[in-house]
Amino acid sequence: MRRIILLMTVAAVVVVGTLFAVSASGAHKHPTAKAQKHPTRTVLIQNFSFKPAHITIKRGTKVRWINKDSTAHTATANNGRSFDSGRLGKGKRYTHTFKSAGKKPYHCEIHSDMRGSVVVKR
Ligand SMILES: [Cu+2]
């Protein structure tokens, strides 16, 4: 009889433990949900071009430029004020969150033939 009670106690502990594990893994999902609300798009700067050169995003999206070249580049809005990465050396990155809708053409200040655009939807 004692043995049965002991077994049932062990079983109860296992069930409670499993429930805890499930709720804990549920809590881990929270940061992911947050990340989806403000997604990030990456534009690589490689071989003297922006890749992809033209992207369409939703308002509130973060765009991250990463310079994969060993030469310095910039990602500078054509209007000169929306955003400007400044000189990005090898491996450096710059992030900008687009808060207003519209087409935002940009270029590299050092190499004027390097061009790209970000289209921001509402
Ligand atoms: Cu450049």
Side-chain angles (χ1 to χ4, degrees):
M1 190 58 189
R2 276 228 164 129
R3 215 183 174 124
I4 291 169
I5 292 170
L6 183 69
L7 278 174
M8 285 174 75
T9 309
V10 169
V13 167
V14 168
V15 168
V16 170
T18 307
L19 288 175
F20 255 106
V22 168
S23 63
S25 64
H28 276 288
K29 282 177 183 164
H30 209 76
T32 313
K34 210 172 179 182
Q36 282 168 346
K37 206 172 177 185
H38 296 288
T40 304
R41 288 284 295 273
T42 300
V43 175
L44 297 180
I45 308 176
Q46 204 166 30
N47 298 324
F48 293 81
S49 59
F50 297 106
K51 293 180 180 177
H54 305 284
I55 59 169
T56 300
I57 58 168
K58 271 189 166 180
R59 213 155 41 133
T61 302
K62 278 182 182 175
V63 177
R64 177 175 58 190
W65 284 267
I66 304 173
N67 184 10
K68 294 282 188 183
D69 279 349
S70 47
T71 314
H73 296 290
T74 78
T76 307
N78 288 2
N79 68 12
R81 58 193 154 75
S82 298
F83 59 95
D84 185 5
S85 67
R87 268 178 87 93
L88 292 178
K90 182 185 179 180
K92 295 281 186 254
R93 52 184 64 192
Y94 166 71
T95 304
H96 179 78
T97 304
F98 288 85
K99 290 174 180 165
S100 62
K103 189 176 181 181
K104 328 279 178 181
Y106 65 91
H107 63 278
C108 171
E109 286 270 277
I110 305 161
H111 315 98
S112 58
D113 56 324
M114 288 177 62
R115 303 203 158 256
S117 72
V118 178
V119 173
V120 186
K121 303 252 183 201
R122 332 196 132 259

